[in-house]
Amino acid sequence: MADRTIKVETLTRVEGEGGLYVRLRGDAVDEVRLEIYEPPRLFEALLRGRPLEDAPDITARICGICPVAYQMSSVHALESALDVTASAEIRRLRRLLYCGEWIESHGLHMHLLHAPDFLGFDSGLDMAKQFPDEVNRGLRLKKHGNQLVDMLGGRAIHPVNVCVGGFYRMPRRDEFQKLIPDFEWGLNAAVETTRWVAGFEFPDFETECEYISLSHPDEYPMNEGFMKTSSGDSIEVSYYEDEFQERHVPHSTALQAIRKSTGRPYLLGPLARVNLNREQLSPTARQLADDVGLEPLCKNPHRAIIARGLEIVHAYEEALMIMRGDHPTGKPRESYSYQAGEGMAATEAPRGTLFHRYVIDEAGKIVKAVIIPPTSQNQAQIEADLKQWVTHVMSDDEQETARQCENLVRAYDPCISCSTHFLNVKIERT
Amino acid sequence: MEQEKPRLAVFKFASCDGCQLSLLDAEDQLLAVAGAVEIVYFPEATSRMEDGPYDIALVEGSITTLHDAERIQQIRKDSKYLMTIGACATAGGIQALRNWADTDEFMRAVYAKPEYIQVLESSTPISDHVKVDFELRGCPINQYQLIEVIQSLLAGRKPRTPQHSVCLDCKRRGTVCVTVAQGIACLGPVTQSGCHALCPSYHRGCYGCYGPAPQSNLVSLATHMEKEGDSRTEISHRLHNFNAYAPAFRNESQRLLEQDGE
């Protein structure tokens, strides 16, 4: 058979812009490229010279789906440079804000972007005609996530209430209380949603890779912790750039990361987090993981949708615990004075670990910013998994092959705007 | 026979996806909107991708590459109404900060191999390239305004979106002025409404994410800020934000920087 290529010019139902290119030599896969052509926006460069207080507002604009993650990594990193320790109250509220983003982002991905692949629809909107209850339930979950971010952050997209040191203003008691009944409904609905997706037909497909996420002795990882790996390593966040390296490849505006010690790619995100921190899930989520039969170390990337469901359940349960607890008191933010220094932090964006490092000067201006988003770190692993997947789904119907390739890419929920970069499948037989 | 529904397409250029997400975030109205129009191109939401012509094209993002500068021309040809959504599409976005910088140096600062990537020297709004029928402001846009604009275009009337400044919204919602009461610098007097005066209600100054309001007096506000002790560099920095390249903000920051250089 002649050599050929399969191309997906524009990958759909992902955030940002990219394509996929597969070259076959006969039936053997010769090359797979996840091509990210999202135009670069050069955030790390444009932050230089700006007051450090601008970082949470500006870096939020890297991604409209996970602005909270950018705000959280930036404030933690800058507080580290300023030797500021946030109070327990602020810490609790930051986790609450993050719960909102996980519910919103996972809710969007599960219902509008990913579930249609399992049920054979072009979109969540088309799927709604046949599965109105499931889609409406999903939209309601997503809305709860947005409402929570809106309540604490001021608005769901690009919140305004986050600042270095804490928040501009504390939420009011009534703002918490009015969300509680909806969240009680939502917790049950999230359990139902997770049971629903766990019943999908999953392809029999496993990949070998190293799973990495933050981990914390006392809680499910979100804002803080050390880097835990499925190979058994523990890495302090301050060694991030020593352990992981971003490489620039010609076919992508997003950088691709590898682990320096192995030279191999790795995977971040909900599947990695659940694989590595299952015991830290909230009681309902942990029980549910057992009930739906999620393997202790799940190696099937298509099943990441179940991990997302579990994380939504966890986020509801944790949010309810915080909102039902004592109402936060005390000052909304810690004060600080400027000092020259360097600070870094990693937090768990819905798609995986997001690392920021800043160098600041004595006048509080940013001298250097380094941002390593989850999608650019996952990209090399996605390519490696695709290479394996293509051999499973290769058929004479190239459109079908391309569609199957896209399905796998969507399983990772790549945020290409994040990678400061969307996607298209091209299959080429030369 | 069922009447054909208007064909809606959503396009993205350099941006964060947040403004098109506003459409998906209109959860309560989403299925209703999806019922009133036929969404024929919206890669973030559907794998269905049809060619034009389109009745309404929503465009997010700014033009930063030669390829995108060509792509917008085709979209304009294919579309009856072309509407931009958000600060990137209407004013060049935060990425327009490079219009004041050396883009090559920016590329070298971010990428190990800048030669793999081709970008234009500047980030420009869609209206610099093609005729735009309506510009919806905001970083991000307000989803209720988006629904209003779509409904108005469907009804064949002019969209009703407010043109007044953020200050008026603060008065309406009873927010105490953060500048007067706390001395906090605020762009509210010169920024167009759309957010319901959000930031002052969170005890911080407006940072101008809806861009300059029509007839806003930038010189007057800058003079006030200078009297309060802010340097011209600080004031121009405030304008160098998500709408930095919007003419009124651009001109005033330029004036301040030139004065500073004297």
Side-chain angles (χ1 to χ4, degrees):
Chain A
M1 190 184 277
D3 294 350
R4 60 177 183 161
T5 59
I6 300 175
K7 294 178 183 180
V8 173
E9 296 284 349
T10 303
L11 270 159
T12 57
R13 281 183 279 129
V14 298
E15 294 113 26
E17 296 200 298
L20 191 61
Y21 172 91
V22 179
R23 193 171 67 223
L24 304 165
R25 208 168 286 277
D27 275 340
V29 181
D30 190 38
E31 192 184 6
V32 173
R33 298 197 309 241
L34 189 60
E35 297 182 330
I36 291 185
Y37 50 79
E38 176 87 16
R41 300 173 67 204
L42 309 169
F43 276 86
E44 290 152 313
L46 62 84
L47 281 163
R48 293 172 307 174
R50 308 230 12 148
L52 64 92
E53 286 78 8
D54 287 355
D57 292 324
I58 290 181
T59 59
R61 267 70 182 183
I62 292 175
C63 178
I65 294 100
C66 55
V68 169
Y70 283 90
Q71 297 194 325
M72 290 297 108
S73 288
S74 67
V75 294
H76 280 281
L78 286 162
E79 284 162 17
S80 159
L82 295 162
D83 288 326
V84 170
T85 308
S87 69
E89 306 280 81
I90 291 168
R91 199 175 178 284
R92 217 154 51 102
L93 288 176
R94 285 180 170 169
R95 279 186 76 87
L96 182 61
L97 185 64
Y98 233 135
C99 287
E101 178 153 289
W102 278 15
I103 296 172
E104 162 267 314
S105 175
H106 285 350
L108 168 76
H109 180 259
M110 291 173 73
H111 297 89
L112 293 180
L113 310 184
H114 199 196
D117 284 342
F118 294 97
L119 302 170
F121 295 95
D122 280 341
S123 72
L125 300 172
D126 290 339
M127 193 172 76
K129 293 169 194 149
Q130 217 171 310
F131 293 91
D133 295 345
E134 288 82 356
V135 173
N136 278 309
R137 183 176 64 202
L139 289 174
R140 223 171 132 181
L141 297 179
K142 184 165 103 54
K143 184 176 176 176
H144 288 165
N146 282 333
Q147 284 175 318
L148 182 49
V149 176
D150 186 82
M151 184 270 287
L152 254 182
R155 65 182 166 199
I157 301 171
H158 305 327
V160 303
N161 195 23
V162 170
C163 61
V164 177
F167 293 89
Y168 286 96
R169 111 164 145 65
M170 280 291 197
R172 294 187 305 264
R173 189 181 295 271
D174 64 312
E175 290 176 321
F176 266 28
Q177 283 170 340
K178 74 177 180 212
L179 289 184
I180 291 175
D182 277 349
F183 271 62
E184 287 169 340
W185 177 90
L187 175 56
N188 289 323
V191 169
E192 287 313 306
T193 288
T194 308
R195 290 187 192 280
W196 176 56
V197 301
F200 289 167
E201 202 176 313
F202 293 99
D204 190 13
F205 176 66
E206 288 199 339
T207 60
E208 281 306 323
C209 70
E210 191 174 22
Y211 297 96
I212 300 181
S213 86
L214 283 174
S215 192
H216 189 278
D218 309 323
E219 58 195 17
Y220 195 74
M222 223 173 240
N223 278 58
E224 284 168 79
F226 59 91
M227 306 292 294
K228 184 176 177 180
T229 79
S230 56
S231 56
D233 298 338
S234 297
I235 303 159
E236 293 292 330
V237 170
S238 54
Y239 290 104
Y240 207 99
E241 287 166 280
D242 297 323
E243 288 286 333
F244 307 105
Q245 184 183 23
E246 285 190 305
R247 292 181 306 185
H248 195 176
V249 293
H251 62 270
S252 174
T253 49
L255 301 169
Q256 292 197 353
I258 51 157
R259 217 178 142 188
K260 277 186 188 170
S261 56
T262 61
R264 297 180 60 85
Y266 54 96
L267 192 76
L268 308 168
L271 198 58
R273 285 193 293 259
V274 171
N275 277 342
L276 295 167
N277 303 281
R278 185 161 166 155
E279 290 308 308
Q280 303 278 16
L281 280 168
S282 71
T284 308
R286 202 165 54 226
Q287 181 63 48
L288 185 62
D290 296 342
D291 291 353
V292 299
L294 185 74
E295 311 84 318
L297 179 65
C298 176
K299 296 179 172 180
N300 184 344
H302 298 280
R303 287 167 73 80
I305 193 169
I306 306 174
R308 283 191 185 88
L310 295 170
E311 289 197 330
I312 295 188
V313 172
H314 175 95
Y316 268 104
E317 206 157 28
E318 180 159 349
L320 275 167
M321 193 180 73
I322 295 171
M323 291 192 290
R324 285 177 183 143
D326 291 336
H327 192 77
T329 50
K331 51 185 182 180
R333 59 180 177 272
E334 305 295 336
S335 54
Y336 53 84
S337 37
Y338 293 140
Q339 61 180 39
E342 183 178 26
M344 49 197 102
T347 71
E348 285 294 329
R351 285 152 204 85
T353 319
L354 165 62
F355 175 84
H356 286 215
R357 173 165 65 91
Y358 298 92
V359 177
I360 54 173
D361 67 16
E362 63 285 347
K365 296 279 195 300
I366 295 170
V367 175
K368 185 176 174 66
V370 173
I371 298 173
I372 311 182
T375 296
S376 73
Q377 298 182 71
N378 279 338
Q379 198 187 337
Q381 187 63 49
I382 299 175
E383 279 190 356
D385 293 353
L386 264 169
K387 204 164 180 176
Q388 203 185 327
W389 177 241
V390 171
T391 59
H392 280 249
V393 296
M394 184 54 65
S395 74
D396 290 335
D397 180 349
E398 292 201 351
Q399 241 182 329
E400 178 56 22
T401 307
R403 198 177 66 82
Q404 291 286 351
C405 289
E406 270 199 88
N407 286 359
L408 179 70
V409 172
R410 279 192 287 267
Y412 302 92
D413 189 14
C415 178
I416 297 168
S417 333
C418 240
S419 55
T420 357
H421 318 296
F422 210 48
L423 198 62
N424 246 324
V425 184
K426 274 182 207 174
I427 303 184
E428 184 175 321
R429 287 184 193 263
T430 48
Chain B
M1 206 177 97
E2 201 184 332
Q3 203 183 344
E4 258 186 54
K5 291 177 184 170
R7 292 161 59 84
L8 177 79
V10 182
F11 297 93
K12 177 189 148 63
F13 291 84
S15 67
C16 78
D17 279 48
C19 290
Q20 51 180 316
L21 181 68
S22 297
L23 192 57
L24 297 179
D25 273 354
E27 293 94 356
D28 298 335
Q29 290 116 321
L30 178 60
L31 297 179
V33 169
V37 296
E38 199 171 356
I39 299 176
V40 293
Y41 188 91
F42 186 1
E44 189 184 25
T46 174
S47 299
R48 179 179 175 183
M49 285 192 281
E50 290 184 17
D51 291 335
Y54 310 109
D55 293 296
I56 301 175
L58 302 179
V59 178
E60 173 188 289
S62 66
I63 304 295
T64 59
T65 65
L66 195 56
H67 174 253
D68 280 354
E70 291 164 4
R71 191 160 62 103
I72 192 64
Q73 298 293 336
Q74 187 60 43
I75 293 169
R76 176 69 265 188
K77 285 191 192 120
D78 288 342
S79 312
K80 187 171 166 193
Y81 294 111
L82 187 154
M83 183 174 117
T84 60
I85 53 172
C88 295
T90 59
I94 186 74
Q95 55 274 14
L97 289 181
R98 74 163 179 260
N99 301 358
W100 285 270
D102 173 354
T103 299
D104 284 343
E105 190 277 323
F106 265 35
M107 293 290 290
R108 287 195 301 274
V110 174
Y111 292 102
K113 297 191 183 297
E115 64 273 18
Y116 290 166
I117 303 176
Q118 265 140 25
V119 293
L120 296 172
E121 283 290 311
S122 59
S123 168
T124 43
I126 301 298
S127 62
D128 276 15
H129 299 263
V130 294
K131 174 176 172 284
V132 173
D133 298 298
F134 190 82
E135 292 184 319
L136 187 62
R137 304 276 203 89
C139 180
I141 56 166
N142 170 327
Q143 55 170 272
Y144 300 102
Q145 289 193 349
L146 176 63
I147 301 282
E148 156 62 18
V149 173
I150 294 173
Q151 282 173 336
S152 67
L153 291 177
L154 293 177
R157 61 172 171 81
K158 196 166 178 278
R160 283 189 284 263
T161 55
Q163 307 270 303
H164 58 261
S165 78
V166 168
C167 278
L168 190 59
D169 284 349
C170 265
K171 308 290 174 285
R172 279 190 180 140
R173 62 186 285 173
T175 304
V176 174
C177 178
V178 295
T179 300
V180 173
Q182 299 176 66
I184 296 173
C186 179
L187 289 180
V190 296
T191 300
Q192 182 168 313
S193 157
C195 64
H196 301 293
L198 191 60
C199 286
S201 78
Y202 279 82
H203 307 170
R204 64 179 294 194
C206 163
Y207 57 90
C209 55
Y210 277 72
Q215 300 173 328
S216 52
N217 191 335
L218 268 298
V219 176
S220 168
L221 182 68
T223 308
H224 171 79
M225 287 175 173
E226 267 194 86
K227 274 190 201 148
E228 293 290 304
D230 295 336
S231 72
R232 287 173 187 150
T233 311
E234 281 172 320
I235 303 164
S236 64
H237 240 139
R238 262 173 224 141
L239 300 171
H240 273 194
N241 229 319
F242 311 103
N243 289 283
Y245 208 59
F249 284 4
R250 182 169 81 203
N251 295 340
E252 181 59 13
S253 63
Q254 199 65 36
R255 185 186 73 88
L256 290 162
L257 289 173
E258 279 166 16
Q259 277 188 353
D260 227 18
E262 277 168 14

